Amino acid sequence: MCGIVGYVGSREVVPVLIHGLMRLEYRGYDSAGIAIIDETGNLIIEKAVGKIKDLTEHLWGKNIKGHIGIGHTRWATHGPPTVENAHPHKSRDNSIALVHNGIVENYVQLKEDLISKGYKFSSQTDTEVIAHLIEEEWDENLLKTVLKVAKKLKGAYAVGIISTKEPDKIVALRKGSPLVIGIGEGENFIASDIPAVLEYTNKFITLNDDEIAVITKDSVDIYNIDGEKLEREPFTVNWDISVAEKEGYKHFMLKEIHQQPKSLTDTISGFLSNLDNPVFDNLNKFNKLYIIACGTSFHAGLVGKFWIEKFLKIPVIVDYASEFRYRESPIDEKTLILAISQSGETADTRFAAIDSQKKGAKVLSIVNVVGSSLSRESDYVLYTYCGPEIGVAATKTYTAQLITLFLFAVYGGLKRGFISQREFEDFRHHLSILPKAIEETLKWEDKIKDIAYKYQNVKDFLFLGRGLNYPTALEGALKLKEISYIHAEGYPAGEMKHGPIALIDENMPVVCIAPEDEIFEKMLSNIQEVKARKGIVITVTDSDNSELEKLSDEIVKVEKVSSQLSPIVNILPLQLLSYYIATFLGKDVDQPRNLAKTVTVE
Ligand code: AGP
């Protein structure tokens, strides 16, 4: 949902901004732009519609030089992707330029006010009001002015500002949208996300809501909204820059699919070394649990419901965060909200969690990005240990969310006395062999590629699963939709006869997830029903059942794991299937149209 980057130091600024924007491109790619203060102290702004490569082409031969600047990659909200609407935006007197991630909710009122004072707007964005407001409210210096302006803004934002009046500093402010400050030697950075500047530094400060930073090449000063100076120690990130590289894979998505044996190993050991998490001592205080999340994280929550109700014996309701927030659910101090989010910045999930806290509930979050807003707002946090996920389609973080939910349920069950130590050790054993099972399943890649090639031109897909693997069907359909733009629906296989079976004919591929579990026979009957209507059956199974083999037009055999863990293995062929269909169709797998990795608007 837009990425921002800024640099002040002695390097040439343009390449630093461009590299940073390339690493933030997953956040939006409708247009991009940079603003720098050049060696003569002038403000130069360059923008282009499209991706960072379009901006790079636009900059070709311009030879812009300077040592301070800001950059932006946009996911359009207010106004279509045009050069006028691209950031950075500037003040009327050309002294101020800024980049913004988020939404200024009261921009209409602020804009009308500024227009009545003679300001002219050249874009349809909400952002431009901030630039004019800074000019209008100018008071001695940039910090003092921004402190004044920040009090007038409503909504969520992370903003980076430069001014020719103080050409040695970047002022950054944050409320609700992510912003980190990278600390270098004789140089400093701002960015929406750590990988943007990881090649220059591994020391970071997270700017909190309602804080303002003044950044020069040698100093970083942080203030609260009342202008009081705050102390903040930097933290060190132990990633190396390869986390933000494709490392030989054609796309980040493919790299991330293949990273799953490692991300699962890391997430299991991360969980097991943090068993003293206070949530486990407080579980008896809760009599109901709501899981709230969006997209893929929501699907993880649907699987989590099975495990939590089975092992922890607490009733669970799973809801889309955007729906949950505007319903009057009976929430009180006996309610535990389990908010799941890879980014920890999804506005729908965060705000639903915060609202519930106000009603007395406690929030436990499952988050991948350490230090993200949701992780800081939650009462308890469980991390997935995946490192950055760059592909817009979530893959490795989904399986890591699943494993965390499973561990939460079984360890919580142990703590509440519903599971014996022996059963818990048994589950640990099953978990220890899971990464190897993932590795073996990924060896079916070539077969899945062949299936993808064969069915790439199909217009609709149906995904069917039952029980624990009904959410696998939903997630398989979501993956296919978002990166290949093929219409796909996930359905509980047993529900098909109540309507969707009408869709099936000889042109309809039906992906059937059929692990050999206690409802295998039922699933087999559902597959018979598909076949009887001439549907094309693509089966994902761990079974050698000969009837199933006869019914299947295509079959992918996943490794056998404990049936409770089957959703973690069964999703892999579906991730690969959507990946290869999308690549055969020539789609932009890592940056699908209309999407952004982190959705910080409601
Ligand atoms: C997944 O492939 C999607 N791109 C999307 O549905 C995503 O899962 C959703 O936006 C939630 O994001 P979060 O986990 O960062 O909150």
Side-chain angles (χ1 to χ4, degrees):
M1 212 81 333
C2 301
I4 68 177
V5 65
Y7 174 77
V8 52
S10 50
R11 295 174 202 257
E12 275 306 328
V13 66
V14 175
V16 178
L17 296 178
I18 295 293
H19 285 157
L21 288 177
M22 281 176 164
R23 298 202 193 285
L24 291 173
E25 206 168 20
Y26 70 90
R27 300 178 67 87
Y29 29 85
D30 291 330
S31 65
I34 56 168
I36 70 152
I37 298 172
D38 74 4
E39 284 156 337
T40 58
N42 287 323
L43 184 65
I44 298 180
I45 299 183
E46 298 291 345
K47 313 178 193 188
V49 171
K51 300 196 166 192
I52 311 304
K53 75 170 175 30
D54 299 295
L55 177 65
T56 314
E57 277 164 25
H58 168 81
L59 290 173
W60 189 249
K62 286 196 174 357
N63 199 26
I64 301 165
K65 292 199 176 296
H67 303 287
I68 179 166
I70 49 179
H72 187 270
T73 181
R74 181 169 185 245
W75 186 84
T77 56
H78 295 59
T82 60
V83 171
E84 293 72 35
N85 290 333
H87 299 215
H89 290 284
K90 65 182 178 67
S91 61
R92 189 177 54 177
D93 66 1
N94 245 349
S95 70
I96 288 144
L98 59 89
V99 287
H100 167 217
N101 167 30
I103 291 180
V104 179
E105 284 169 1
N106 57 337
Y107 84 101
V108 175
Q109 183 200 327
L110 294 169
K111 189 171 177 176
E112 280 168 5
D113 202 38
L114 286 161
I115 289 171
S116 73
K117 290 177 178 150
Y119 286 85
K120 289 203 166 43
F121 281 74
S122 51
S123 78
Q124 293 148 280
T125 65
D126 51 326
T127 304
E128 197 181 345
V129 294
I130 312 175
H132 295 317
L133 259 185
I134 295 174
E135 180 181 333
E136 173 64 18
E137 300 285 339
W138 189 265
D139 185 1
E140 275 179 58
N141 59 42
L142 191 55
L143 171 65
K144 211 168 161 194
T145 310
V146 172
L147 284 166
K148 255 167 92 179
V149 168
K151 293 201 173 104
K152 295 188 175 228
L153 302 178
K154 291 202 176 116
Y157 44 80
V159 184
I161 308 160
I162 52 173
S163 170
T164 53
K165 294 180 190 170
E166 293 173 53
D168 61 336
K169 62 186 61 137
I170 299 173
V171 171
L173 75 146
R174 176 204 156 136
K175 185 180 183 178
S177 297
L179 196 71
V180 292
I181 301 166
I183 315 290
E185 291 196 2
E187 58 182 0
N188 288 309
F189 307 79
I190 61 166
S192 297
D193 200 357
I194 287 170
V197 295
L198 196 56
E199 64 192 281
Y200 310 106
T201 182
N202 64 353
K203 280 207 186 68
F204 290 90
I205 289 173
T206 304
L207 202 61
N208 293 330
D209 282 353
D210 290 317
E211 289 180 354
I212 295 174
V214 178
I215 300 148
T216 69
K217 71 185 182 56
D218 299 311
S219 63
V220 174
D221 294 319
I222 298 177
Y223 302 87
N224 67 16
I225 196 91
D226 297 318
E228 293 157 352
K229 208 164 169 188
L230 306 169
E231 289 305 316
R232 186 71 43 82
E233 279 304 307
F235 59 92
T236 304
V237 168
N238 295 323
W239 309 334
D240 71 69
I241 191 60
S242 65
V243 300
E245 308 280 357
K246 289 186 194 146
E247 295 184 286
Y249 288 96
K250 197 167 170 214
H251 296 101
F252 281 110
M253 184 181 175
L254 190 59
K255 171 183 162 186
E256 287 157 3
I257 290 173
H258 281 274
Q259 279 180 320
Q260 290 177 99
K262 177 161 179 0
S263 54
L264 286 174
T265 306
D266 292 349
T267 300
I268 294 167
S269 59
F271 186 98
L272 293 174
S273 35
N274 288 293
L275 293 178
D276 55 355
N277 190 311
V279 71
F280 294 110
D281 295 324
N282 289 302
L283 282 176
N284 284 333
K285 294 183 183 155
F286 306 111
N287 62 10
K288 63 178 169 301
L289 194 155
Y290 287 92
I291 297 182
I292 54 169
C294 309
T296 291
S297 299
F298 170 76
H299 297 153
L302 290 174
V303 184
K305 174 185 165 79
F306 280 82
W307 290 326
I308 294 168
E309 291 191 334
K310 182 178 172 78
F311 300 119
L312 208 47
K313 308 220 182 292
I314 301 180
V316 179
I317 294 165
V318 191
D319 211 345
Y320 289 113
S322 54
E323 288 296 313
F324 175 80
R325 189 179 181 201
Y326 296 101
R327 201 178 20 255
E328 290 182 29
S329 304
I331 295 165
D332 55 24
E333 56 294 335
K334 290 190 172 155
T335 308
L336 181 62
I337 301 288
L338 172 44
I340 309 173
S341 174
Q342 181 283 128
S343 61
E345 301 295 345
T346 301
D348 291 319
T349 310
R350 281 183 57 211
F351 299 147
I354 291 168
D355 282 357
S356 306
Q357 273 170 330
K358 288 183 191 147
K359 294 177 188 159
K362 293 279 185 241
V363 172
L364 163 68
S365 58
I366 295 180
V367 173
N368 189 47
V369 178
V370 178
S372 56
S373 302
L374 180 63
S375 70
R376 287 179 292 122
E377 289 152 0
S378 302
D379 299 284
Y380 317 104
V381 187
L382 295 170
Y383 282 106
T384 51
Y385 295 82
C386 297
E389 185 176 67
I390 311 241
V392 165
T395 52
K396 62 177 176 174
T397 55
Y398 176 65
T399 47
Q401 287 167 346
L402 290 180
I403 207 70
T404 305
L405 284 159
F406 179 78
L407 278 160
F408 168 68
V410 293
Y411 186 64
L414 175 72
K415 292 288 276 186
R416 291 190 87 197
F418 299 124
I419 281 186
S420 67
Q421 188 66 39
R422 198 179 157 168
E423 283 169 309
F424 183 68
E425 292 311 325
D426 199 34
F427 283 130
R428 276 181 77 146
H429 166 71
H430 285 297
L431 288 172
S432 68
I433 53 178
L434 187 67
K436 183 80 190 143
I438 302 280
E439 245 173 67
E440 291 301 314
T441 303
L442 288 171
K443 290 185 180 157
W444 280 77
E445 186 164 359
D446 284 343
K447 167 74 183 168
I448 297 164
K449 199 169 169 179
D450 290 346
I451 300 173
Y453 187 76
K454 204 160 154 190
Y455 298 101
Q456 59 179 293
N457 293 315
V458 165
K459 295 273 170 286
D460 305 277
F461 264 85
L462 205 54
F463 289 74
L464 300 179
R466 291 187 76 123
L468 276 167
N469 283 287
Y470 156 50
T472 311
L474 295 180
E475 176 60 8
L478 174 64
K479 286 287 90 84
L480 188 63
K481 278 185 274 208
E482 69 179 336
I483 62 168
S484 73
Y485 321 146
I486 292 175
H487 169 248
E489 264 192 78
Y491 233 82
E495 187 62 18
M496 204 189 39
K497 56 188 176 291
H498 299 289
I501 201 162
L503 293 169
I504 295 175
D505 63 15
E506 65 279 13
N507 300 313
M508 174 70 92
V510 185
V511 180
C512 301
I513 302 121
E516 205 160 26
D517 55 14
E518 57 283 7
I519 43 175
F520 178 68
E521 298 298 331
K522 305 269 177 229
M523 187 67 202
L524 205 55
S525 307
N526 298 142
I527 297 173
Q528 297 272 16
E529 291 156 14
V530 173
K531 204 68 231 165
R533 279 134 192 108
K534 302 199 175 69
I536 304 161
V537 174
I538 303 173
T539 303
V540 173
T541 187
D542 56 2
S543 167
D544 293 324
N545 181 290
S546 57
E547 187 59 25
L548 182 63
E549 285 183 10
K550 259 193 262 152
L551 287 169
S552 305
D553 295 274
E554 316 286 349
I555 194 157
V556 175
K557 294 275 182 74
V558 298
E559 283 295 293
K560 223 178 203 1
V561 293
S562 151
S563 66
Q564 284 298 319
L565 297 175
S566 70
I568 301 173
V569 177
N570 288 337
I571 192 60
L572 300 170
L574 309 192
Q575 292 172 343
L576 285 168
L577 183 70
S578 60
Y579 170 78
Y580 280 110
I581 289 182
T583 46
F584 287 135
L585 292 174
K587 305 297 184 211
D588 192 340
V589 169
D590 283 334
Q591 294 167 355
R593 70 182 181 200
N594 303 340
L595 296 178
K597 182 77 180 160
T598 311
V599 185
T600 52
V601 293
E602 274 197 83

